[in-house]
Amino acid sequence: MQERAKATRRSLLEAAAQLFAEQGYAATSVNDMSARSGRTSGAVYFHYAGKEAVAVAVVQDRFATWPQLAARYADEAVPPVDRLVALSYDIAHALAEDPVTRAGARLWAERTTINAPLPHPFALWTTAVTRLLAKARLAGHLHPHVRPARAARTLVPAFFGLCALTEELEGTAALTDRLTDWWQLTLPCLRPHPVHEDLPRGR
């Protein structure tokens, strides 16, 4: 029964995420979630207090915590700056193709229309980037003028702004190329010595 309940909760969350990503928060109803998931409206209210609670769960599931990417962030065998670059491509890929991630991003952008506090994703990611840059500095892989916390506070909003504007202006197919352009401009400012950057080109 517990596994069945988890499966039902997951199917509801994914159905709601698809709707939020496609048509936004205001245009999505509990009845829409019920129809898309093939579950009853009662099932939605059994697992979630209401539409607001579903929205919070969607943001928390992918956009605010990124649990599926934690392994790459924790791999000490990979140099910290390389981890940061690889992580950015994974996030961009998810923002372009994963419905739950896309829904989380759209819900965050529409947060003023949601009568519930949404998890704040950018503080978590600023902390994560700060830690990676601090490790890079200890390893001698960061330019002496770069201050990890200050750099992270610039890199995180710049990255998410790049993703959002690229999708709006060029579409998601251009994300990998634009991100590569961005890193080729940014990495020489982070590295202690100029190096040729062989950046990943996405999946």
Side-chain angles (χ1 to χ4, degrees):
M1 289 295 292
Q2 187 175 12
E3 290 304 314
R4 182 181 299 177
K6 287 181 180 179
T8 299
R9 185 178 179 90
R10 188 72 206 169
S11 69
L12 290 169
L13 184 143
E14 291 180 352
Q18 291 170 2
L19 290 163
F20 289 144
E22 292 167 9
Q23 59 195 36
Y25 178 80
T28 300
S29 68
V30 169
N31 286 338
D32 294 333
M33 297 177 198
S34 171
R36 177 66 65 94
S37 66
R39 313 281 180 168
T40 65
S41 297
V44 178
Y45 286 111
F46 178 82
H47 290 279
Y48 299 98
K51 188 170 80 164
E52 294 86 354
V54 180
V56 170
V58 168
V59 175
Q60 184 68 31
D61 186 79
R62 289 280 204 283
F63 191 61
T65 60
W66 304 87
Q68 75 278 21
L69 302 180
R72 185 187 292 276
Y73 167 69
D75 186 359
E76 296 293 340
V78 180
V81 174
D82 291 350
R83 269 186 273 165
L84 177 59
V85 172
L87 188 60
S88 74
Y89 280 91
D90 279 354
I91 295 172
H93 181 267
L95 285 168
E97 299 186 13
D98 178 63
V100 181
T101 302
R102 290 179 60 77
R106 180 162 184 174
L107 289 168
W108 173 258
E110 298 176 354
R111 63 192 179 279
T112 57
T113 68
I114 302 171
N115 190 28
L118 297 185
H120 194 305
F122 304 109
L124 180 150
W125 282 108
T126 301
T127 298
V129 173
T130 299
R131 288 174 177 168
L132 284 172
L133 293 177
K135 289 182 178 183
R137 186 168 187 166
L138 287 173
H141 299 162
L142 199 66
H143 195 286
H145 82 272
V146 176
R147 298 295 182 264
R150 292 176 65 90
R153 288 196 297 268
T154 300
L155 289 172
V156 170
F159 167 75
F160 281 104
L162 173 75
C163 290
L165 283 176
T166 297
E167 179 174 353
E168 184 68 24
L169 297 175
E170 300 182 74
T172 57
L175 264 178
T176 296
D177 286 343
R178 292 297 136 304
L179 186 55
T180 298
D181 293 341
W182 184 69
W183 277 122
Q184 287 176 339
L185 287 170
T186 304
L187 280 174
C189 298
L190 298 178
R191 301 289 197 187
H193 306 289
V195 295
H196 172 71
E197 299 293 348
D198 186 15
L199 298 175
R201 303 295 295 179
R203 301 177 184 179

